[in-house]
Amino acid sequence: MPIVTVVGDGQLARMMHTEAIELGVAPRVLAGDVESSAAQVFGEVRIGDYTDLADLRAAAEGASAVTFDHEHVPNEHLQSLIDAGVAVEPRPAALIYAQDKLEQRTRLSELGAPVPPFAPIASAADAARFFDEVDGAVCLKATRGGYDGHGVWFPSSRDEFEDLVEKLLAAGTALYAEAKVPFVRELSAMVARNRSGQVAAWPVVESRQADGVCRVAISPAPGLSAELAVTCRDLAVRIAEELDVTGVLAVELFETADGSVLVNEMAMRPHNTGHWTQDGCVTSQFEQHLRAVLDWPLGSTEPTAPVTVMVNTLGGDADPETPMEERVIEVMRRYPDAKVHLYGKDYRPGRKMGHVNVAADSLERALEVAEDAAHYIINAEWK
């Protein structure tokens, strides 16, 4: 059976490993540390640095496909692997639009996709000019490296904006700015595409954030009109095709008060808002990603329950004395329908330690159980 090398050792790689076993695929991970989330469970672990071409070449040797659980591998190294005959998916020509947010905004704008007004920011003068153009409704972002609320700033005045830009530029941070969007909620449209061009889309979900981190995902998005659901799905499919994405693509969207959507961000890998597919869908995002990068036929994305809710278990203010094993057992005892997924990570406030999925006949039931179960996993007490 084929070898798939996953570059990156976080929870996304860890959950790809589970699906690889079921598919008979031989999974290999390039990890930075033997105690990392993925390295704890992978059968074949290569320790190395994903920014080192020699380490990448060694991890890719004999693999049918090389893929990622993050977007930060240098593109020039990936091109070197491709030149040597390695199947890298997604390819660097697509991955750049997940790595660099300014490149992403520019390309999506060229495609006619809905994006907020934006501009590169290379000086305080650029900052002042853009601040006036959007009447002070500014969101400043690092073009690379930001995630889960990091690398994003909301200056409240022109002076604060200019000072922040000067400070960040002096530190070597490349920047761009966009208009702050007065959205009513966040949506996520996820698709998968294989090298042969087959595309499969999951239902559009609503994601709820806490301090810039996804906390809850609900499938399907409550109250979403059939028309807007089709718009979101078709937009994600078109982006996958136009950018030649292979694997899972998550297109995060802002829904506005007038019923339209704007693209917020993109990820070319399994995504937090797709974890619900593990227990609420015929084919999970992790299995689908492996199928796609191997250019196998894609699986059905039909839901297996009317509603599925995912709630992240984010590290609380304190780590309870009750051992995690006991917390999981208590959740299982009270809620047999709750599915607990843990990442093997040590406690840290705000850290993604795992998630809980609940598939149910009603949104009320799914939310109640998932929220209470996640609360107990975090705090060792019921809501």
Side-chain angles (χ1 to χ4, degrees):
M1 295 298 287
I3 296 171
V4 173
T5 294
V6 182
V7 180
D9 56 12
Q11 64 265 22
L12 300 179
R14 181 187 179 105
M15 289 182 277
M16 277 190 247
H17 176 272
T18 303
E19 299 289 7
I21 293 172
E22 296 295 323
L23 292 172
V25 172
R28 176 190 296 160
V29 67
L30 177 61
D33 186 273
V34 293
E35 295 301 320
S36 65
S37 179
Q40 294 171 23
V41 299
F42 262 69
E44 184 178 357
V45 179
R46 304 286 181 91
I47 301 300
D49 180 353
Y50 64 80
T51 66
D52 185 286
L53 180 56
D55 287 348
L56 289 167
R57 282 175 170 158
E61 185 177 1
S64 297
V66 172
T67 192
F68 318 95
D69 89 335
H70 62 72
E71 294 92 353
H72 308 308
V73 182
N75 262 356
E76 60 272 20
H77 292 353
L78 298 181
Q79 190 57 54
S80 294
L81 294 181
I82 291 172
D83 292 343
V86 177
V88 175
E89 304 290 3
R91 295 178 181 177
L95 200 60
I96 183 63
Y97 300 114
Q99 295 170 332
D100 190 302
K101 294 182 177 65
L102 180 56
E103 292 278 0
Q104 176 196 123
R105 282 288 186 260
T106 302
R107 183 69 178 121
L108 291 180
S109 181
E110 291 171 351
L111 294 176
V115 295
F118 69 95
I121 302 295
S123 67
D126 289 344
R129 188 179 308 110
F130 189 76
F131 190 91
D132 291 338
E133 287 177 4
V134 296
D135 296 324
V138 170
C139 175
L140 179 66
K141 292 186 177 183
T143 61
R144 286 177 175 259
Y147 70 99
D148 285 349
H150 300 288
V152 180
W153 303 269
F154 296 96
S156 58
S157 69
R158 183 186 289 103
D159 288 343
E160 181 186 349
F161 189 23
E162 292 180 19
D163 291 345
L164 180 60
V165 163
E166 288 181 339
K167 177 182 177 181
L168 291 169
L169 290 175
T173 304
L175 302 168
Y176 83 102
E178 60 188 34
K180 186 178 178 181
V181 177
F183 59 91
V184 296
R185 64 173 170 175
E186 295 187 56
L187 302 171
S188 178
M190 294 190 61
V191 301
R193 179 176 177 271
N194 64 18
R195 177 51 50 197
S196 296
Q198 183 188 4
V199 181
W202 287 276
V204 177
V205 308
E206 176 182 331
S207 63
R208 299 177 180 177
Q209 315 293 312
D211 299 323
V213 179
C214 176
R215 198 183 71 80
V216 178
I218 303 170
S219 174
L224 186 67
S225 70
E227 181 182 9
L228 189 55
V230 170
T231 296
C232 295
R233 181 201 65 198
D234 289 352
L235 175 61
V237 169
R238 184 161 71 90
I239 290 172
E241 292 174 340
E242 293 281 1
L243 301 187
D244 195 27
V245 176
T246 302
V248 168
L249 169 70
V251 180
E252 297 180 84
L253 301 160
F254 292 133
E255 182 182 356
T256 59
D258 64 1
S260 61
V261 292
L262 296 169
V263 176
N264 177 20
E265 293 187 349
M266 299 191 311
M268 295 180 191
R269 51 168 170 75
H271 190 256
N272 202 166
T273 57
H275 292 351
W276 71 273
T277 61
Q278 292 171 298
D279 301 296
C281 194
V282 173
T283 309
S284 79
Q285 63 167 344
F286 301 102
E287 177 183 341
Q288 198 80 297
H289 187 75
L290 292 168
R291 289 188 183 210
V293 301
L294 287 167
D295 200 22
W296 288 2
L298 301 182
S300 168
T301 54
E302 284 297 308
T304 53
V307 178
T308 303
V309 169
M310 181 225 65
V311 178
N312 276 328
T313 53
L314 306 173
D317 294 334
D319 190 18
E321 293 184 5
T322 304
M324 180 62 78
E325 179 185 2
E326 292 184 22
R327 286 180 255 167
V328 171
I329 290 171
E330 285 304 309
V331 167
M332 290 177 171
R333 181 173 290 118
R334 176 171 288 204
Y335 296 122
D337 51 341
K339 306 292 286 187
V340 179
H341 300 264
L342 297 178
Y343 305 156
K345 293 186 175 183
D346 293 333
Y347 163 81
R348 190 172 69 217
R351 189 181 204 182
K352 291 179 182 176
M353 312 286 287
H355 64 273
V356 176
N357 287 337
V358 176
D361 291 334
S362 71
L363 175 58
E364 291 74 20
R365 168 67 181 173
L367 267 176
E368 177 186 1
V369 173
E371 289 275 21
D372 201 25
H375 185 84
Y376 193 87
I377 292 289
I378 296 166
N379 301 294
E381 60 182 23
W382 302 109
K383 291 183 71 175

